[in-house]
Amino acid sequence: MRTVYVNGTWVPEDQAVVSVFDRGFLMADAVYEVTTVIDGKLVDFAGHVARLDRSLSELDMPSPATAEELLALHREIVAKNGITDGRVYLQVTRGNPGDRDFLFPDPNVTRPGIVLFTQVTGRPEDSADAKRGLKILTVPDVRWGRRDIKTTQLLYPSMGKMMAKKARCDDAWFIEDGLVTEGTSNNAWIVKGGKLITRALSNEILHGITRAAVMRYAAEAQLQVEERSFTLEEAQGADEAFVTSASAFVMPVVEIDGVKLGAGEPGPVARRLREIYLDESRKSAI
């Protein structure tokens, strides 16, 4: 049984509770981050904390802890649960004002809520998905406009994953005005003529921490990266495609809406970037 952290207390997971009046529960008035653990160490932690601070700032929500305190909590929960390869989920809510109300509670009276728990995964090198590649279904993007804020409003991404599952695909990409925005829980990339193409940062996509790391590593490997939007047709005609996220790392895509990319198997660029990312993550993890 896992040990989880709930509002200042370490408890067994079956004793972890939050108030029915917590705004994260009632209104998805909460943000979150997921930090990967490799070999018992945290990957890209500074980036996740910086994005958390940005999300909180955009929602005018106070932080429940400093970066140093969050690092200590992450390390403690990894140790308490003996995590070697996995992830740490962190959620911050606007708190429990004692009753339901659309208006924000006074931050001087209502403290933000904070929850952490762990999940165990296998070794990244053993991923079956990475070896065979993902099949993608595209769906209309009808999410709210501030996708750059990592909120817990994940109903439509969850629906997108379910639509993909029903279509016997692995995941979904969102399409808006004929252009690919991103995946349900990842940033989307294509490879054409040796060039990496991914949508530029804006309010329309999540500012992926893994995305930023892959861009650095690609530049070091002398791979050209072009930040721009691309169409579904362009994606289907690409040499390769892949997605990036803290959970998936660099994950090859081999099919989009039934159209195979290249030979229909993970391409050399995606495979190499995944190797580089995992190698560099092991070196820099804390």
Side-chain angles (χ1 to χ4, degrees):
M1 183 176 293
R2 288 173 294 185
T3 296
V4 303
Y5 183 83
V6 182
N7 295 326
T9 304
W10 296 101
V11 294
E13 62 179 293
D14 63 348
Q15 297 177 27
V17 296
V18 295
S19 169
V20 296
F21 299 115
D22 189 284
R23 287 179 60 91
F25 171 70
L26 290 176
M27 297 181 175
D29 191 359
V31 300
Y32 76 103
E33 286 290 335
V34 180
T35 302
T36 295
V37 179
I38 295 181
D39 298 336
K41 295 182 179 181
L42 302 164
V43 176
D44 288 329
F45 182 77
H48 287 289
V49 171
R51 186 171 64 184
L52 175 70
D53 286 343
R54 181 182 183 277
S55 293
L56 292 170
S57 176
E58 291 296 304
L59 296 179
D60 196 24
M61 190 184 301
S63 176
T66 65
E68 292 76 17
E69 290 168 338
L70 289 176
L71 176 57
L73 286 173
H74 277 68
R75 284 176 165 164
E76 186 168 359
I77 201 169
V78 167
K80 284 181 178 292
N81 290 285
I83 303 298
T84 300
D85 294 296
R87 56 183 71 107
V88 178
Y89 179 95
L90 162 69
Q91 180 168 307
V92 178
T93 83
R94 204 178 298 272
N96 164 27
D99 206 347
R100 183 178 183 273
D101 195 334
F102 277 90
L103 297 177
F104 291 174
D106 183 348
N108 294 315
V109 177
T110 301
R111 298 188 60 185
I114 178 172
V115 170
L116 288 89
F117 61 80
T118 57
Q119 294 176 314
V120 175
T121 63
R123 294 178 67 252
E125 290 79 5
D126 298 332
S127 169
D129 285 343
K131 293 175 182 178
R132 76 167 187 272
L134 303 181
K135 294 181 179 180
I136 298 295
L137 175 77
T138 63
V139 299
D141 198 340
V142 296
R143 299 171 298 162
W144 81 312
R146 291 305 307 275
R147 302 154 195 167
D148 56 308
I149 306 174
K150 197 171 177 67
T151 74
T152 59
Q153 299 178 45
L154 297 173
L155 178 58
Y156 190 64
S158 180
M159 292 174 67
K161 287 185 181 291
M162 289 305 301
M163 286 185 269
K165 182 179 180 180
K166 290 179 181 178
R168 298 189 176 182
C169 293
D170 301 294
D171 205 348
W173 281 5
F174 296 124
I175 304 291
E176 186 174 53
D177 298 328
L179 303 172
V180 175
T181 46
E182 59 188 342
T184 57
S185 57
N186 43 59
N187 292 120
W189 300 66
I190 61 173
V191 182
K192 189 68 174 179
K195 183 185 299 183
L196 309 182
I197 303 170
T198 191
R199 191 169 181 131
L201 295 181
S202 69
N203 290 350
E204 297 168 343
I205 68 169
L206 184 67
H207 299 189
I209 304 305
T210 306
R211 173 190 181 278
V214 167
M215 291 187 73
R216 293 196 305 272
Y217 301 148
E220 292 171 3
Q222 297 184 327
L223 293 171
Q224 185 178 355
V225 179
E226 185 174 345
E227 292 185 85
R228 65 168 176 82
S229 300
F230 55 87
T231 65
L232 168 60
E233 292 73 22
E234 190 175 5
Q236 290 175 321
D239 301 323
E240 299 181 41
F242 59 92
V243 297
T244 56
S245 73
S247 300
F249 312 113
V250 179
M251 187 64 68
V253 169
V254 297
E255 182 179 301
I256 303 174
D257 282 352
V259 176
K260 290 185 179 181
L261 278 61
E265 59 186 31
V269 174
R271 292 199 309 268
R272 180 58 182 147
L273 283 172
R274 182 178 176 87
E275 291 173 356
I276 293 173
Y277 179 79
L278 292 175
D279 184 52
E280 293 298 326
S281 293
R282 282 195 161 88
K283 292 177 183 177
S284 61
I286 61 174

